[in-house]
Amino acid sequence: MDMTEKTPIQGYVPPSGSKTHLHQPSMLTWEIIRKGLAYILKGKMMVPNSHIPPAAHDIPADFAGVGVATSGDLEVDDYVIARLEELGLRQARLDFSYGDIDHNAARLLEKLLDREYNIILHLVQPFDAAIAMEQAAAQQAWQAFLQQVLDRYGSRVTMVEIGSTVNRKRWAGYTPQGFLKTWEIAHHEVKRRNITLAGPNISDFEPLYNIGMLDIFRQRNQLPDIHTNNLFSERSTEPERFDHRILKYRRAAALKFNLIKKARLLHKITRDYGVHEVMSPSAFWTLPRILRLLPDGEQKQADYLARYMILCAASGALRQAFWGPLICHREGLIDDGSDSYPRLERITHYASVTGDIQRFRPRPSFYSMQAFAKLIPGRHYLGALGGRNGLEIHAFKDGQTLVHAVWTTNGKGAVLADHYHLDDLLHAHYTSRDGTQMKSNPGLASESPIYITWPAGRNIALKTEKSLFEHLSIQRHGEHGENKHYHAYQDAEWRGILVAANDAEAALLSQALHPSRLGKPPKDAILRNARNAIWTIEDPRDPSRKLVVKQPVKMHVHKKLLDQFKLSKAKRSWNGTNELLRRGVEAAAPVAYFEKHGDRSLLQNYYICEFVRTDFSIRDIFAAFYDGQTSYQGVTAEQIYPQLTRYLLNMHDRGVFFRDLSGGNILVTKLEDGQLAFSLIDTNRAHFFNHGIPLSKRLSDLTRVCVKLPWHGREQLVGMYLQAMKQEFGWRQRLPFYLYDIKVGMKKRIGRKAIRRAFKKK
């Protein structure tokens, strides 16, 4: 049938009032908002503890699914089906639009239906058609398309979904009145064929649209059978986070709008309007968003997928939750090997697969979804168990096994023995995020979920006493995506964490690096001996290499009093360095830290890291420039300023506020072709954010870097930095530098060192 043919809607009678809405778009928009606000102001979204998943509910066996598409290559059809089989998924969502009826999407659809897959057929209008839906010709073309598709496939698909990111006009093209006309026609055609209808596919968490749309649907007797909402949640950071867009970062915890609360509120809204089920038909983490903050995007995508799907299941609010595209270079579970991306967002219309099948590559997220689909759907959710310091533990059970899904929020680590009894850990089986059976207890939980299983009859009770390893940060994924292995150490006097490839290496390091063997630093190995003693030792794993040991040896009285409430210096150095590396900011790799039980002196702790050979520090080269030299060790200002600018911008953009960014703490290594590598030391004061830091904090770091740099050098370096941020080096930006110069000058005149020098002269 020609989609432009003007065919009247058989038996369709427009509801009263629709003509008025059609010619008053602004009034309809405000009507949707008014209905949403009225619902909220009546207190209907005030649900106590809605941010906590409710216990005791069943997870549907068909809970998980994925979006599929194909291309002109027939082999892609078979590839898609083979990957669905590998994932263990029998549910798929397929976007179907004008022109697909006798083309690639129809071919894949027939193959899926022949193999009895449960298909959500998502009927998508082209952008130009959607934006014209207030016009009769567009309405008639839409009706003709519906009739043709529903007559052919309606009785064979699980449901038909209508609507596509309807709250995003720039993506889908719909005006509110245009979409309501789309829905009106579709509801008539779908329901007269007794097909399950899903919609309206609102994207993200914007409940004003959900409330307003459902209210209008109910008023017109056009409610869907299933309410659909693409439930994205913090697409560049962790899925557990409270949404900062509601009350900004500092106040995000006040209303506790996390993924669980969003799902439960959507479920309540759905039920309040007489619809029994809500599902999320598409959501994903795009790699570019993750890479804004973290370097190992594919590993983080896999972590977030597992955590997102587990939380969606735990919410008890969603009938199903689907990942977005199966194959796509930007957000797919499988990389298509291309760099192309369609003009229309794939969340709006996943029209086709691009790239050569020979270059398709399953990502870690593929195996993460596979493990989830195997272990969680079809089980009974027991509840969230009492985790602390970012630890998440969710318990699921069926007739054979008890499963705990365990992970920490971003960058944190938790020693399992702090939370589980040793006998329970000894009798457990461990499965990685990717479904790999682990040979033994991994020791630590990290941001990559693990699944711990026992026989269904075993009663697991968590420990209630205080953890020995609280507030711990680790870098779960290494530079090239490999998993790092951490080992907890504890004896009668000391505790700590080591990075080791296996149990044998951990035993070697714990013996060789134990504080009882470190002793006092030899004079010929001392690198610094002031408030902290820093010296080198032989690496027990390779005598040709060195490690660096750092121990606090002096502490002023006021610091000793205030720091009683802080982590030990060694642990702060460990945490800061791990978090820097996790964010792709270079620093010497940590090997271990140790701290003495109950130490009140705050001096009995050791931090040990790799020894990195460097050529000089920023302090050295900037001091040379201050003395009038034009280069230092062959490095000129023209070389170092732009490279240091890029390094500092990257650090700040990734949420690092270093707070002690003196020139001596930035080490420089000369590479080939005039390139320089930078790395940081003294990391224990750094603060970290899940977004780029504000200008005030950036300037605070820059004032410390530039303290030994003459003003003409500051003009160049800071000018480059601010230019990259589209800022000028005006008086407001200069003021922190003047104030810091005054502070440094005062310290030189009346500070502790100045007073000591004065007494020595006497």
Side-chain angles (χ1 to χ4, degrees), residues 97-132:
S97 189
Y98 296 4
D100 284 338
I101 196 73
D102 294 312
H103 291 86
N104 302 328
R107 189 186 66 236
L108 176 61
L109 178 57
E110 287 286 359
K111 292 181 179 180
L112 290 167
L113 292 173
D114 287 345
R115 290 164 175 79
E116 298 183 344
Y117 277 86
N118 302 313
I119 301 300
I120 298 175
L121 190 59
H122 182 212
L123 301 184
V124 182
Q125 290 186 280
F127 186 90
D128 292 342
I131 206 168

Side-chain angles (χ1 to χ4, degrees), residues 347-589:
I347 183 62
T348 300
H349 187 191
Y350 181 28
S352 64
V353 170
T354 56
D356 184 347
I357 192 173
Q358 302 302 322
R359 299 179 64 188
F360 290 179
R361 174 183 61 86
R363 289 188 166 116
S365 54
F366 178 90
Y367 301 103
S368 181
M369 174 64 93
Q370 182 186 54
F372 171 83
K374 180 180 179 181
L375 289 165
I376 301 303
R379 293 181 184 270
H380 182 75
Y381 180 63
L382 297 175
L385 305 184
R388 300 185 293 273
N389 298 317
L391 178 66
E392 296 268 348
I393 303 175
H394 295 269
F396 302 84
K397 189 176 183 179
D398 64 11
Q400 287 74 47
T401 55
L402 168 67
V403 177
H404 282 190
V406 182
W407 71 89
T408 59
T409 50
N410 278 4
K412 294 182 172 61
V415 176
L416 292 177
D418 268 349
H419 303 277
Y420 288 92
H421 296 282
L422 289 178
D423 188 60
D424 290 333
L425 293 175
L426 286 171
H427 289 87
H429 294 280
Y430 302 89
T431 304
S432 74
R433 174 201 70 191
D434 300 336
T436 304
Q437 296 299 312
M438 305 169 80
K439 294 180 180 179
S440 61
N441 174 6
L444 271 73
S446 72
E447 59 193 297
S448 286
I450 57 173
Y451 301 96
I452 309 177
T453 60
W454 298 270
R458 190 175 185 98
N459 183 30
I460 305 297
L462 297 185
K463 289 182 176 180
T464 57
E465 58 265 31
K466 185 178 179 181
S467 302
L468 292 174
F469 295 92
E470 290 182 316
H471 307 294
L472 180 67
S473 295
I474 61 175
Q475 182 200 8
R476 180 67 176 94
H477 307 295
E479 182 179 356
H480 304 291
E482 74 278 5
N483 292 334
K484 290 199 167 188
H485 301 279
Y486 294 85
H487 300 257
Y489 177 85
Q490 182 184 355
D491 63 21
E493 287 189 281
W494 299 89
R495 63 172 176 262
I497 303 289
L498 306 101
V499 184
N502 49 51
D503 290 342
E505 185 173 287
L508 172 67
L509 289 174
S510 63
Q511 181 180 14
L513 305 181
H514 194 277
S516 63
R517 300 197 59 179
L518 291 175
K520 293 184 178 180
K523 289 184 179 180
D524 59 350
I526 291 178
L527 301 176
R528 189 186 302 175
N529 196 4
R531 286 177 299 174
N532 303 302
I534 303 175
W535 70 98
T536 59
I537 60 172
E538 184 181 279
D539 188 336
R541 301 165 298 184
D542 182 353
S544 67
R545 297 167 56 189
K546 291 182 179 180
L547 300 177
V548 175
V549 182
K550 177 180 177 181
Q551 181 197 12
V553 291
K554 296 177 183 177
M555 190 167 290
H556 299 295
V557 174
H558 73 284
K559 291 288 290 180
K560 188 172 288 189
L561 177 64
L562 295 175
D563 284 9
Q564 293 289 337
F565 306 99
K566 295 182 180 179
L567 303 178
S568 69
K569 268 195 173 182
K571 193 168 187 178
R572 279 183 276 153
S573 294
W574 168 276
N575 286 349
T577 306
N578 271 297
E579 191 59 37
L580 284 170
L581 292 170
R582 180 177 168 272
R583 293 166 185 255
V585 180
E586 281 300 315

Side-chain angles (χ1 to χ4, degrees), residues 703-751:
T703 58
R704 287 162 173 77
V705 175
C706 293
V707 70
K708 288 189 176 295
L709 190 64
W711 261 102
H712 65 84
R714 297 183 187 186
E715 295 277 358
Q716 295 180 62
L717 176 65
V718 182
M720 287 179 187
Y721 183 101
L722 292 174
Q723 186 178 20
M725 297 185 66
K726 296 181 172 53
Q727 295 266 351
E728 293 184 359
F729 197 13
W731 70 268
R732 283 191 175 89
Q733 291 79 19
R734 292 170 185 267
L735 184 59
F737 292 86
Y738 293 127
L739 294 175
Y740 192 71
D741 285 346
I742 293 171
K743 176 182 175 181
V744 171
M746 295 285 287
K747 285 180 71 175
K748 287 180 179 179
R749 291 181 178 86
I750 59 174

Side-chain angles (χ1 to χ4, degrees), residues 50 52-55 57 59 63 231 259-264 267 308-319 381 394 396:
S50 55
I52 300 171
H57 56 82
I59 313 301
F63 181 78
L231 190 53
L259 174 60
I260 297 291
K261 183 167 185 172
K262 292 176 181 181
R264 294 186 66 186
H267 181 258
Y308 174 86
M309 294 300 292
I310 293 165
L311 290 171
C312 283
S315 74
L318 300 177
R319 173 62 181 80
Y381 180 63
H394 295 269
F396 302 84

